[in-house]
Amino acid sequence: MTAPLVALTGSTGFIGRHLLAALTARGYRVRVLLRRPVELPPGISGAVVGDLARPQNMAAALSGADAVVHSAGLAHAMSGAPEDDYRTFNTEATRGLAQAAARARVRRFVFLSSIRAQSGPSADRVLTEADAPAPTDPYGRSKLAAEEALAGIDIDYAALRPVLVYGPGQKGNMAALLRLARAPYPLPLGGLSGRRSLVSVESLADAVDAVLQAPDPLRRPLIVAESEPVSVPEMIKALRAGLGRRPGLVPVPEGLLGVALALTGRSELRERLAGSLAARAAGLAALGWAAPVETRHGLEMLARAGG
């Protein structure tokens, strides 16, 4: 029996690189869709170069594909990008690619959306797909608009909403947290109580595999998160355990830490450090999926491997 052929976008990005390796390791044939020629690892079934922002002629790229995994887009870390850019790269490119996939009779379209399509940077409750989406920035709005565009196209789709993703080669907040963990001095973060859900690249790839194999139509968003949210002190403790070090955390009260951050012109860090953003992968659980990685162990292994 011939293995399913998956057309993958974003294969040179942080998440896409891991998806490429995971899908090929799991026996899928993978055809990568690139904006420019790059050197690729062996085992790729093919590569097609084109501009996803103008996907008018994707017939060759999608010919014979069983599924599309769309991980390309303008990342949230690129703060300061105009809202029109997010709309172009995250919404309109997704719409055009999905329309082309529908014309090519691709069975399923898997879109890497984001928890930010559902929520701002913090939430006062554990999020599930039952909560009404309320994005608060251009990135989140562009991802939600892409999901809404998919709902209007005649193709079976899954819009995966991962929480903060960690893994080798990570950038943004998780990379900053790992740098803090590597610092040689104690950290005044022991009093932070907010809890956040995370997902490793391994767990995310496993979720992609689960929706690719789901036998019934999906056509809905699905949160991707590991089972137990963790606090910043627990993250630091796990990372420093992986580095072979003691936690080295000082329990400074959150209010005092907030004042210190304000005095140093870094008030925006308070919500990122102290706020909660916990989510439950209820939809994936209903499909029989459970994250294969426990977050604390995953963070420890990440630091041990060098991040």
Side-chain angles (χ1 to χ4, degrees), residues 126-127 163 166 195-200 203 223-230 278-282 285 289-297:
V126 177
L127 299 172
V163 293
Y166 67 93
R195 304 184 74 78
R196 289 185 172 264
S197 294
L198 305 180
V199 64
S200 65
S203 292
I223 289 173
V224 191
E226 288 167 353
S227 57
E228 292 296 327
V230 291
R280 184 162 55 90
W289 181 81
V293 176
E294 191 274 325
T295 300
R296 294 173 187 82
H297 179 71

Side-chain angles (χ1 to χ4, degrees), residues 40 46 55 64 70 81-82 112 114 128 131 136 140 143-144 147-148 161 193-194 198 207 223 238 245 266 270 273 301:
L40 293 167
H70 181 38
L112 270 292
S114 169
T128 72
D131 295 298
T136 61
K143 289 290 192 177
L144 180 61
E147 294 182 11
E148 292 168 345
R161 293 176 177 171
S193 58
L198 305 180
I223 289 173
R245 295 174 51 192
R266 306 187 73 182
R270 180 173 183 172
L273 289 171
M301 293 301 101

Side-chain angles (χ1 to χ4, degrees), residues 159-306:
L160 298 184
R161 293 176 177 171
V163 293
L164 185 60
V165 182
Y166 67 93
Q170 64 198 0
K171 298 179 181 178
N173 290 341
M174 285 306 303
L177 196 66
L178 184 54
R179 287 194 296 271
L180 274 178
R182 287 184 174 132
Y185 42 77
L187 298 172
L189 305 177
L192 297 177
S193 58
R195 304 184 74 78
R196 289 185 172 264
S197 294
L198 305 180
V199 64
S200 65
V201 287
E202 293 88 353
S203 292
L204 179 54
D206 196 71
V208 169
D209 182 37
V211 298
L212 286 173
Q213 294 194 52
D216 298 323
L218 297 171
R219 293 191 61 81
R220 61 186 185 272
L222 296 164
I223 289 173
V224 191
E226 288 167 353
S227 57
E228 292 296 327
V230 291
S231 65
V232 169
E234 288 170 336
M235 294 180 208
I236 294 291
K237 181 179 179 180
L239 290 169
R240 285 188 161 174
L243 297 169
R245 295 174 51 192
R246 297 173 62 85
L249 290 163
V250 179
V252 175
E254 288 183 19
L256 184 59
L257 182 62
V259 171
L261 289 170
L263 290 174
T264 58
R266 306 187 73 182
S267 296
E268 81 286 350
L269 278 177
R270 180 173 183 172
E271 188 172 23
R272 282 192 277 165
L273 289 171
S276 292
L277 188 60
R280 184 162 55 90
L284 281 169
L287 295 176
W289 181 81
V293 176
E294 191 274 325
T295 300
R296 294 173 187 82
H297 179 71
L299 291 173
E300 183 176 337
M301 293 301 101
L302 173 68
R304 187 171 297 170

Side-chain angles (χ1 to χ4, degrees), residues 20-217:
L20 176 59
L23 290 171
T24 53
R26 290 168 185 252
Y28 291 94
R29 295 178 297 138
V30 181
R31 178 187 296 154
V32 295
L33 279 56
L34 303 166
R35 295 187 66 185
R36 60 183 65 86
V38 296
E39 184 176 348
L40 293 167
I44 305 306
S45 295
V48 178
V49 177
D51 187 353
L52 288 177
R54 302 179 185 86
Q56 295 94 340
N57 185 17
M58 299 296 292
L62 300 175
S63 175
D66 299 287
V68 172
V69 176
H70 181 38
S71 71
L74 191 59
H76 183 256
M78 300 175 186
S79 58
E83 186 146 4
D84 283 350
D85 285 357
Y86 283 109
R87 189 178 300 111
T88 296
F89 291 102
N90 291 349
T91 305
E92 296 308 322
T94 301
R95 185 199 311 272
L97 184 61
Q99 288 171 335
R103 289 192 296 270
R105 301 187 182 277
V106 172
R107 185 180 72 88
R108 181 163 292 155
F109 190 97
V110 181
F111 172 50
L112 270 292
S113 184
S114 169
I115 196 65
R116 296 300 293 271
Q118 185 162 343
S119 170
S122 62
D124 59 4
R125 63 192 180 282
V126 177
L127 299 172
T128 72
E129 298 91 347
D131 295 298
T136 61
D137 60 15
Y139 172 76
R141 288 191 289 270
S142 70
K143 289 290 192 177
L144 180 61
E147 294 182 11
E148 292 168 345
L150 288 174
I153 298 170
D154 185 20
I155 191 170
D156 186 32
Y157 75 91
L160 298 184
R161 293 176 177 171
V163 293
L164 185 60
V165 182
Y166 67 93
Q170 64 198 0
K171 298 179 181 178
N173 290 341
M174 285 306 303
L177 196 66
L178 184 54
R179 287 194 296 271
L180 274 178
R182 287 184 174 132
Y185 42 77
L187 298 172
L189 305 177
L192 297 177
S193 58
R195 304 184 74 78
R196 289 185 172 264
S197 294
L198 305 180
V199 64
S200 65
V201 287
E202 293 88 353
S203 292
L204 179 54
D206 196 71
V208 169
D209 182 37
V211 298
L212 286 173
Q213 294 194 52
D216 298 323

